[in-house]
């Protein structure tokens, strides 16, 4: 069960990226983040911001065709999964379970495809399109450790974006 949910309204792509980058300071090895929201909501842009925060310098783009891409961050690897086109057999072939249970940071777009593989402790993020540049970002931490992470992250966002 989740304890709490937090909301943050992003007013631009840049704000989404900067806000996501701030999360990098608080995540721990093995953190799993699910990103849901319709096509074009901003899931991949959020991931790009997080990657910058984790010290990843290369371009992070949507792994729609490969489904998974991994990047070497300053401290931790980032596994970016876009499971929109995932089939059941692929979930096993791609080794998603190993990534999710590993020490890296897993970001999962379209996480409902692998709901049964998600750990009890995780951060759920739902992005809703309000208009051209505005996004309502709802953050739901599961487990007390992730609640602390999200509380610290939200405090940082509030002080940076006002
Ligand atoms: N505040 C905002 N935050 C994020 N993206 C925004 C914002 N305002 C506008 N956008 C635009 O919304 C689009 C988001 O695209 P993105 O690829 O990140 O979406 P997605 O959720 O990953 O989609 P898909 O399901 O196709 O992978 C981009 O074109 C971006 O410029
Ligand atoms: Mg995407």
């Amino acid at each position: 069960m989740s304890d709490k949910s937090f909301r943050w309204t992003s007013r631009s792509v840049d704000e989404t990226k900067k806000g996501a980058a701030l999360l990098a300071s608080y995540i721990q090895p093995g953190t799993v983040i699910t990103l849901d929201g319709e096509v074009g909501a901003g899931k991949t842009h959020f991931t790009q911001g997080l990657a910058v925060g984790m010290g990843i310098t290369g371009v992070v783009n949507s792994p729609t065709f490969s489904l998974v891409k991994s990047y070497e961050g300053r401290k931790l690897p980032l596994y970016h999964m876009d499971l929109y086109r995932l089939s059941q057999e692929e979930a096993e072939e791609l080794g998603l379970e190993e990534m999710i249970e590993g020490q890296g940071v897993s970001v999962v777009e379209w996480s409902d495809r692998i709901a049964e593989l998600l750990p009890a402790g995780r951060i759920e993020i739902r992005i809703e399109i309000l208009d051209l540049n505005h996004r309502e970002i709802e953050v739901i931490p599961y487990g007390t450790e992730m609640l602390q992470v999200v509380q610290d992250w939200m405090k940082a966002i509030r002080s940076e974006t006002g």
Side-chain angles (χ1 to χ4, degrees), residues 37-59:
E38 64 185 281
V39 169
K43 303 183 292 295
T44 297
H45 281 75
F46 182 96
T47 308
Q48 289 168 349
L50 177 64
V52 169
M54 289 175 67
I56 292 158
T57 48
V59 181

Side-chain angles (χ1 to χ4, degrees), residues 19 21 49 64 78 80 85 87 89 91 95-96 99 102 123 125 140 143 155 162:
T64 300
L78 170 69
H80 182 203
R85 295 163 203 275
S87 66
E89 310 81 75
L96 300 181
M99 283 181 210
I123 301 173
I125 299 179
I140 306 164
K155 217 179 275 174

Side-chain angles (χ1 to χ4, degrees), residues 14-68:
D14 200 47
E15 196 177 316
T16 297
K17 286 196 187 177
K18 284 191 175 144
L22 292 172
L23 173 58
S25 316
Y26 306 102
I27 44 176
Q28 303 155 358
T31 299
V32 174
I33 299 162
T34 62
L35 274 177
D36 294 283
E38 64 185 281
V39 169
K43 303 183 292 295
T44 297
H45 281 75
F46 182 96
T47 308
Q48 289 168 349
L50 177 64
V52 169
M54 289 175 67
I56 292 158
T57 48
V59 181
V60 173
N61 49 28
S62 188
T64 300
F65 299 102
S66 51
L67 301 174
V68 178

Side-chain angles (χ1 to χ4, degrees), residues 69-87:
K69 276 192 194 166
S70 67
Y71 302 89
E72 214 39 64
R74 205 183 302 111
K75 289 189 195 144
L76 296 169
L78 170 69
Y79 306 125
H80 182 203
M81 308 171 205
D82 184 332
L83 307 181
Y84 188 65
R85 295 163 203 275
L86 184 79
S87 66

